[in-house]
């Protein structure tokens, strides 16, 4: 192992397996570069970031939330309570809650889907549409006035 100590307190270690471990003293951050191209950063607040050679990044936050950023622009976040948020390159977002509910956000609408099959949609013009699992459909205008209530 080779160790280099810098004047500013930084330390660089070159390991026999070709890993390079660099400790930034001021930031109290460790950056480990692996021979296969993986880079891992460890911050003093226990946040850990992994940067893969293909451009993918994985960030583990101190609360155990995990965010994955993919090179194609897709993003996923996994929260400790089981909630998952997925964001497409175009900005469309899907939130899957641990209780089985699902939300979809697009430029055109926001929709919530319930485990019983009920679907509530709010469109960008303010119109609201609720389709119940029983087959009932209720549509409201942007002021909240019922336009249609078909049972």
């Amino acid at each position: 192992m080779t160790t280099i100590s810098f004047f500013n307190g930084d330390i660089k270690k070159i390991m026999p397996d070709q890993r390079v471990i660099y400790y930034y003293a001021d930031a109290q951050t460790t950056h480990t570069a692996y021979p296969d191209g993986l880079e891992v950063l460890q911050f003093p607040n226990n946040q850990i970031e992994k940067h893969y050679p293909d451009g993918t990044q994985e960030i583990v936050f101190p609360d155990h939330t995990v965010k994955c950023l993919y090179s194609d622009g897709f993003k996923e976040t996994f929260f400790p309570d089981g909630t998952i948020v997925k964001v497409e390159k175009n900005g469309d977002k899907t939130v899957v809650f641990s209780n089985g509910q699902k939300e979809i956000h697009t430029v055109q609408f926001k929709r919530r889907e319930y485990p019983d099959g009920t679907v509530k949609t709010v469109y960008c013009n303010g119109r609201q549409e609720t389709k119940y699992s029983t087959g009932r459909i209720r549509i409201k205008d942007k002021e909240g006035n019922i336009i249609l209530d078909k049972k």
Side-chain angles (χ1 to χ4, degrees):
M1 174 177 78
T2 304
T3 302
I4 303 167
S5 297
F6 295 93
F7 178 73
N8 63 0
D10 289 4
I11 299 170
K12 181 178 183 179
K13 294 181 183 178
I14 302 170
M15 309 304 282
D17 63 3
Q18 301 306 308
R19 279 181 299 143
V20 176
I21 303 170
Y22 196 103
Y23 177 74
Y24 297 91
D26 282 348
Q28 298 179 341
T29 299
T30 302
H31 177 196
T32 305
Y34 292 85
D36 65 0
L38 172 66
E39 296 186 28
V40 178
L41 292 107
Q42 295 174 290
F43 297 92
N45 67 351
N46 291 323
Q47 177 175 316
I48 298 171
E49 293 186 11
K50 294 180 181 178
H51 298 241
Y52 294 90
D54 68 358
T56 300
Q57 294 181 32
E58 178 184 284
I59 304 165
V60 180
F61 294 95
D63 70 353
H64 304 291
T65 296
V66 178
K67 180 177 270 191
C68 299
L69 310 169
Y70 299 95
S71 56
D72 64 0
F74 181 69
K75 301 174 190 171
E76 283 182 301
T77 306
F78 302 88
F79 292 91
D81 69 355
T83 300
I84 301 170
V85 177
K86 298 179 182 187
V87 182
E88 302 290 338
K89 186 177 180 180
N90 68 3
D92 289 358
K93 182 192 296 187
T94 302
V95 182
V96 180
F97 298 96
S98 55
N99 65 5
Q101 295 182 17
K102 181 164 124 177
E103 271 191 15
I104 300 167
H105 298 208
T106 71
V107 175
Q108 296 84 19
F109 64 84
K110 291 183 181 178
R111 173 178 295 148
R112 185 170 281 235
E113 300 172 358
Y114 296 86
D116 71 354
T118 299
V119 177
K120 292 186 178 186
T121 306
V122 179
Y123 294 93
C124 59
N125 64 5
R127 193 183 88 204
Q128 301 173 40
E129 180 180 287
T130 306
K131 294 180 181 178
Y132 295 91
S133 56
T134 60
R136 177 181 176 191
I137 299 173
R138 184 170 52 194
I139 300 174
K140 296 180 181 179
D141 65 17
K142 64 182 177 182
E143 283 84 32
N145 301 313
I146 297 173
I147 299 170
L148 174 73
D149 195 348
K150 183 177 158 187
K151 296 180 182 178

